[in-house]
Every structure is written in structure tokens, then in C-alpha cells.
Amino acid sequence: MDKKFLKYVLEETVKRFDDINNGPEHDESFKFTAIATFQREWDADAEDFLAMFKRATSDAVHILDSKKNLPNAGLIKLMEMGKEEEVRRAFKMLLSEDDGDIPLRHHRLRDFADKINAMEQQTSLKGTLYKVSFYSALAYLNLWRPAENFFVKVSEARTWCLSLNYSPDIGTGVKFSLERYYTMCEACLQEVRKCTELLQLNKARAEAKGCQDQAEAEHVLMYDLIHCAYSYIFVDQMGLDISKIDRLKASKEEYMLLKQHNDRQQKLQELETQTLMDRQQLVGMEINSKKFGPGKIMALDGTTLSVAFGDQVKYFDLTTCLRFNLLGLPEACFAGYHKDLELREERKDLTRKLEEEA
């Protein structure tokens, strides 16, 4: 870890602390208000879950939604469409106790995003505007238990790690490691706690917003250091401009290759949220084979179909039947199979390229 760079960031943050939190353009202390509102209003067993949800997230709009992606707004729309109880169950699982098991927490975040996105795919909300990502799901955990979590925007976090020469890599997309990110934040906090002036300033702004918990205040501060370094005053030192990327010990070509790699990871993550065809739905379906006539699919064992034609049962390879539509299956099954093929091939190709680049 480059402690000189971190020291510079801490010194500059102290100098500009008032402008960052009370300036005409910036007020990063709003996160404490958002956390306080969420914790005060949240009630997973509320009779009117939707109304409670709107109140709980009312001060967290800038955390949960952006101009290009509206996951929180999508959840509200989903509940207004009648999915309130399904969303309630998803949040109960997401915000449940895990005894500090970060890998389990990581799994629950992925599962939450998958469940919500699967529900949205069944409605007019399908697409990218309202899609819930791993990172937006993590925002709710931060609002609920900020002392146990760290906010993250992965592009900012990756740049921070590069600037600090920190390893191991926290990853992006499906390769993002919550455990490594949290470990990195805790390591940085060990150094941040040596800057007593900054801790005093942070404590004062937290208490002004009603936050008395030191751990909560420190975890919000850690994210603010990463976010503000990326967005405001440390741009030159962090080498965010491609023309200055050598400050991150990478050439412009290496930067573009890294961006390409990250884009592929993001694309793979999007593809993995798409549901493949449920082949078990073929069981019980009546068919009409050109060779054997009318029949009924009785079972599917692996890739073997058992089809009854009168008193006779014949066996077919599922892949062959779907590829050439030998059994006269409905057009939807035929089309679904070929869509599955394309999706599987695209996933396979992206996975191969990512493994080569890694």
C-alpha cells in the first residue's frame, strides 16, 4: 500500500472538509441522513410494506438511483404491480443476520439481485433502466448496517486500489470480491485512524446528523475518501485522465485493455441474469411425430426423452429433437431452444476471452 498517497489524500481532505460537506455544490454528509431515515423507518413486517419502503428510502435517492439506472424506482414500480410480498421476502433474506460471514453476504447480494431482476423480466420493467445490480443491492445493506459494510462504486474503488498500488485485485462484475474490498477498506482505516484531525471533523459532522456510532461514522468516511478522491479534488494525483494514466503505472493501451476486460465482465454478468429455457416443461406435452404419429412426452432424464405412442414407449435425444424439431413440438419450444444455444455460446465465448485476458 502506498501510504504516501494515502497521507496526501487525508491531508487534502482535512483542508477541504468544509467545502466537501458544506460547500455550495457538495454535501457528502447527506449519507448520514439517509442512513438515519432508513433505520428509523424500516420495518420488514409493516402492514403496508410499499408505503414503509418509500419512507425508508426517501433520503437515499442519490445513493440508490442515478440518471442512467433506477433500481430503487424499479422496486417501487414492481410493488405497485402487485409484487409487494415477493419483494418483502427478498429483503428479509437480504437484510438477515449472517454473523459476519462475508462470502455468505456476497451470495445473498447476488441472489437478491437475481430474484428482483427475474421478477422484472416478467413485467414491462424488463431492460436495463430498472435493473438491480450487486452494487445497488449492497447499498441497502449499508443503509441498514453501515458499521458492518462499506458503500462501493466499483470504478472508483478500482482506481483507488491502483493509486494505492494495493493488491490483491478486488475485481469487477462477476469477479468482484466483497471480501477483498472490505479487507482493503479495513486496511486503509488503520491508517486513517492515525489522522486525528480528520477523525474529529468526521465525528462532528456525523453527530450533527444524529449519528453517534463511531464505526458507522468511520465506514462512511472510508467511502467518502474513495468517492471524493475520484470525483472532486484528487483527479490529477490519481491519474484519471487517460493522458496521465502513467501515474497509475499503466499505458494508454493497457488502460483500454482493462476497460475492454471490464466491459466484457459486465456483459457476462448481464447474460447470466437471463433465464434459460426450462426443459422440464416439455414433460406432459402432447406431440405429433411425422414418423410415429400422435404421442405424449412422459419423462425427461438428462437429455433423454421418453415418449409414449399408444402402448409403445420410444426414446429420443432431446438435443436432436429440438434441433430438427422431429417431434412436432410447438414453435415456442423450438425457438426457445435456439435462443438458449445462442445465449450459452455467447456466455461460453465471453468466459473464454476473460480467462485468456486474466
Side-chain angles (χ1 to χ4, degrees):
M1 181 190 296
D2 186 348
K3 294 184 179 180
K4 288 184 178 180
F5 176 81
L6 182 55
K7 181 181 178 182
Y8 171 81
V9 171
L10 297 177
E11 290 174 349
E12 286 297 305
T13 302
V14 169
K15 291 178 185 177
R16 309 179 190 223
F17 195 84
D18 188 60
D19 180 60
I20 292 172
N21 292 281
N22 302 299
E25 298 181 8
H26 311 304
D27 180 14
E28 294 300 332
S29 63
F30 81 92
K31 300 178 191 69
F32 291 108
T33 302
I35 290 169
T37 300
F38 190 88
Q39 293 178 346
R40 182 180 66 251
E41 298 292 341
W42 186 260
D43 178 7
D45 296 314
E47 183 176 350
D48 189 339
F49 185 81
L50 174 57
M52 180 281 299
F53 184 85
K54 289 180 178 179
R55 293 194 305 272
T57 59
S58 60
D59 288 324
V61 176
H62 297 300
I63 295 173
L64 300 170
D65 286 337
S66 66
K67 293 180 179 179
K68 295 182 179 180
N69 189 241
L70 307 172
N72 195 70
L75 280 163
I76 291 173
K77 288 180 178 292
L78 195 61
M79 287 187 277
E80 290 173 342
M81 292 178 176
K83 299 289 186 179
E84 185 172 344
E85 290 309 311
E86 291 93 328
V87 173
R88 183 202 299 267
R89 287 195 293 271
F91 267 103
K92 280 189 173 183
M93 180 60 70
L94 174 67
L95 303 183
S96 61
E97 295 284 351
D98 58 24
D99 295 322
D101 188 334
I102 304 302
L104 174 60
R105 195 175 304 174
H106 188 121
H107 173 75
R108 283 181 175 170
L109 287 161
R110 295 279 184 208
D111 187 56
F112 175 84
D114 289 344
K115 286 180 179 177
I116 298 300
N117 291 328
M119 280 190 273
E120 290 187 353
Q121 285 298 311
Q122 301 169 6
T123 71
S124 58
L125 300 178
K126 60 184 178 181
T128 59
L129 180 61
Y130 299 114
K131 182 178 178 181
V132 174
S133 69
F134 175 92
Y135 310 108
S136 54
L138 180 56
Y140 294 107
L141 276 182
N142 276 278
L143 291 170
W144 183 232
R145 294 193 180 96
E148 300 173 20
N149 297 281
F150 293 93
F151 286 106
V152 63
K153 286 186 179 179
V154 71
S155 57
E156 299 175 354
R158 287 296 301 281
T159 304
W160 174 265
C161 289
L162 286 168
S163 301
L164 286 177
N165 292 322
Y166 182 87
S167 62
D169 185 15
I170 62 172
T172 60
V174 296
K175 299 290 186 180
F176 176 77
S177 170
L178 187 68
E179 190 170 18
R180 288 181 181 178
Y181 176 65
Y182 280 17
T183 299
M184 183 275 294
C185 288
E186 291 289 358
C188 289
L189 272 179
Q190 295 298 319
E191 297 302 314
V192 173
R193 292 185 181 111
K194 298 175 183 178
C195 185
T196 55
E197 186 175 1
L198 179 57
L199 289 182
Q200 289 172 356
L201 289 170
N202 187 57
K203 180 181 178 181
R205 74 161 179 165
E207 291 178 346
K209 296 293 183 178
C211 174
Q212 304 295 326
D213 190 294
Q214 180 179 344
E216 288 187 8
E218 288 182 350
H219 279 219
V220 173
L221 173 63
M222 187 62 241
Y223 170 68
D224 277 353
L225 290 171
I226 297 172
H227 171 63
C228 294
Y230 185 96
S231 301
Y232 299 152
I233 54 179
F234 313 122
V235 174
D236 289 344
Q237 288 72 22
M238 296 187 76
L240 296 181
D241 189 332
I242 291 177
S243 65
K244 301 175 182 177
I245 204 67
D246 59 323
R247 302 185 75 100
L248 300 181
K249 299 182 180 179
S251 66
K252 181 177 179 179
E253 180 182 4
E254 289 171 328
Y255 175 86
M256 297 308 294
L257 287 173
L258 178 61
K259 183 179 184 303
Q260 182 184 58
H261 182 74
N262 292 342
D263 289 343
R264 282 181 176 147
Q265 286 182 320
Q266 181 65 34
K267 178 63 176 177
L268 181 59
Q269 183 180 7
E270 292 173 2
L271 290 176
E272 288 179 339
T273 64
Q274 297 182 26
T275 305
L276 292 171
M277 174 184 174
D278 180 10
R279 298 184 178 186
Q280 285 295 330
Q281 68 181 345
L282 298 174
V283 177
M285 188 174 292
E286 295 183 352
I287 55 89
N288 189 12
S289 167
K290 292 181 180 179
K291 184 175 181 179
F292 301 104
K296 184 176 182 180
I297 299 175
M298 305 306 295
L300 173 61
D301 182 9
T303 60
T304 302
L305 282 172
S306 303
V307 184
F309 296 98
D311 296 334
Q312 290 186 327
V313 176
K314 294 188 177 296
Y315 302 93
F316 300 86
D317 177 65
L318 173 64
T319 302
T320 303
C321 289
L322 285 171
R323 180 175 297 171
F324 301 105
N325 204 8
L326 298 180
L327 297 178
L329 292 166
E331 182 63 29
C333 294
F334 191 59
Y337 168 74
H338 285 280
K339 182 179 179 181
D340 271 12
L341 278 183
E342 293 176 3
L343 184 57
R344 291 176 191 272
E345 284 300 315
E346 192 170 1
R347 286 181 181 177
K348 183 178 178 181
D349 183 55
L350 278 172
T351 301
R352 177 182 58 78
K353 289 179 179 178
L354 287 170
E355 288 175 349
E356 291 174 354
E357 290 169 354

